[in-house]
Amino acid sequence: TRLLIVLLLTLFSPACALSASGQGNSDAVSFNQVAVRPKFDGKEANEFAKWIAKNVIYPPIAMENGVQGRVMIQFIVNTDGSVSDVKVVKSIDRSLDQEAIRVVSKSPKWTPGKMEDGSVVRVMYTYPVVFSLK
């Protein structure tokens, strides 16, 4: 059988404005609170899913054990467009979690989000990275 990595395209879900720990993210706003949402590499939302699909490496141990599922990642798009504070909010398997964090952490810069008044703000996203063996 062929290995396919299936990523959920275009599913950016709203995220809360604070991290679970409440540290370092208190100035980040939710994805639906901004007037202009951040854009991955200046493009549409599904471009991020395509970029992840191209750059993710299915962990061999997870493949050998038939582990698959959805890892929910939370991250912040900073005012300079960089991605930071990448963490797992819903785990499937340690190796899949680590790969999801690795690939999202390597994301190229985004076009930052803006508020109604035009001010650039940090925006928090929650994003599903789906690993599937077929």
Side-chain angles (χ1 to χ4, degrees):
T1 63
R2 248 180 101 195
L3 165 69
L4 294 177
I5 300 173
V6 180
L7 297 171
L8 207 51
L9 300 174
T10 69
L11 242 193
F12 278 102
S13 61
C16 60
L18 295 174
S19 70
S21 66
Q23 298 176 347
N25 299 334
S26 60
D27 64 334
V29 297
S30 171
F31 147 93
N32 12 343
Q33 292 177 312
V34 292
V36 178
R37 293 178 176 160
K39 288 185 177 180
F40 171 73
D41 206 21
K43 300 173 185 156
E44 297 305 315
N46 65 347
E47 292 299 318
F48 185 54
K50 290 176 187 176
W51 182 86
I52 287 178
K54 181 179 174 185
N55 290 281
V56 76
I57 300 167
Y58 211 110
I61 190 73
M63 196 182 317
E64 290 168 15
N65 294 323
V67 180
Q68 52 188 348
R70 180 183 304 176
V71 177
M72 295 301 290
I73 294 289
Q74 188 175 77
F75 61 95
I76 293 178
V77 176
N78 293 300
T79 57
D80 67 355
S82 64
V83 169
S84 68
D85 302 311
V86 181
K87 66 179 184 175
V88 173
V89 292
K90 181 180 176 246
S91 175
I92 295 299
D93 172 81
R94 185 172 184 200
S95 65
L96 296 181
D97 296 349
Q98 289 174 340
E99 178 56 14
I101 289 171
R102 183 198 70 79
V103 75
V104 171
S105 295
K106 290 179 56 179
S107 171
K109 287 196 174 185
W110 294 51
T111 302
K114 294 182 181 179
M115 298 302 281
E116 285 287 335
D117 65 2
S119 61
V120 177
V121 293
R122 297 174 78 218
V123 179
M124 185 176 293
Y125 276 94
T126 300
Y127 188 82
V129 179
V130 180
F131 294 88
S132 180
L133 294 169
K134 288 189 181 183

